[in-house]
């Protein structure tokens, strides 16, 4: 576990998508260590089971749910399972995503559609399934958080990342609008926009120009670690209930843009 077990988030029910690796994995460990009951969602059940086993051995409480966020029925079934087992979610870390950079001229429509379906439609499917639970928790007086994982790529220009960056710009602007709607209902809405993070997303990159860009960046920048983002999520959800830190840009010290 990333920290000693505490009761800081006792009573909170946390849902983490994209929990089988990287940022989602690290955040699940941290939230469980701070006392939240954690539901970890992803497609890779074997990895989720290992994560749940680790959390339980450290004294936490967790459940694994095999979920494909490109399938609304799958997400809805997970939402039902969470509420039946733990009660309504009061913390949703909407984190599943994919990064497949490439030159626009290559016209890789399948990769474009995959990024849009996961990074945009997947985010919306999770929102559709879990915002009603957040509303229930908030109406019961429980601190309630929806945190979306965006990227610094949603703000800045990077070669070969046009479609990925566009999906993340969508997530960032969506989050701003949702805060206007959900804030008056005592649901905090926030986004995290990380710079370069050392996760398996980079292993999905096949386009040579993007691989070269990332390799060069890794030679000059100490990338963020998933645990750095997890600590940020932990900070956001531990703020007093009336405080909503809406947007966090978290960058490696040496990364200028």
């Amino acid at each position: 576990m990333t920290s000693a077990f505490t009761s800081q988030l006792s009573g909170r029910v946390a849902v983490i998508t994209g929990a089988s690796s990287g940022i989602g994995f690290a955040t699940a460990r941290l939230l469980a260590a701070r006392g939240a009951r954690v539901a970890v969602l992803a497609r890779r059940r074997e990895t989720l089971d290992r994560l749940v086993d680790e959390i339980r051995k450290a004294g936490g409480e967790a459940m694994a749910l095999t979920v494909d966020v490109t399938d609304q029925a799958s997400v809805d079934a997970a939402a039902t399972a969470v509420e039946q087992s733990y009660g309504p979610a009061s913390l949703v870390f909407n984190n599943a995503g994919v990064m497949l950079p490439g030159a626009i001229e290559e016209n890789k429509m399948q990769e474009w559609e995959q990024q849009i379906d996961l990074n945009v439609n997947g985010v919306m499917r999770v929102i559709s399934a879990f915002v009603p639970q957040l509303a229930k928790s908030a109406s019961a007086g429980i601190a309630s958080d929806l945190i979306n994982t965006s990227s610094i790529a949603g703000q800045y220009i990077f070669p070969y990342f046009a479609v990925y960056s566009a999906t993340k710009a969508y997530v960032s602007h969506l989050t701003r609008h949702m805060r206007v709607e959900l804030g008056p209902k005592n649901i905090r809405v926030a986004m995290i926009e990380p710079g370069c993070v050392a996760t398996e997303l980079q292993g999905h990159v096949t386009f040579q120009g993007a691989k070269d860009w990332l390799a060069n960046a890794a030679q000059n920048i100490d990338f963020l670690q998933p645990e750095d983002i997890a600590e940020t999520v932990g900070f956001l959800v531990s703020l007093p209930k009336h405080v909503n830190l809406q947007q966090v840009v978290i960058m490696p010290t040496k990364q200028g843009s």
Side-chain angles (χ1 to χ4, degrees), residues 15-17 92-96 122-124 126-127 146-149:
V15 174
I16 299 100
T17 65
V92 175
F93 185 35
N94 201 358
N95 173 68
V123 165
M124 299 307 303
V126 172
I127 288 168
L146 171 64
I147 300 175
N148 296 321
T149 299

Side-chain angles (χ1 to χ4, degrees), residues 11 25 27 45 63 115 124 126 139 157 169 187 222 228 251:
F25 191 98
T27 301
R45 183 57 185 250
M63 64 185 296
Q115 291 177 95
M124 299 307 303
V126 172
S139 67
I157 307 300
I187 300 173
D222 294 324
D228 300 325
M251 301 281 281

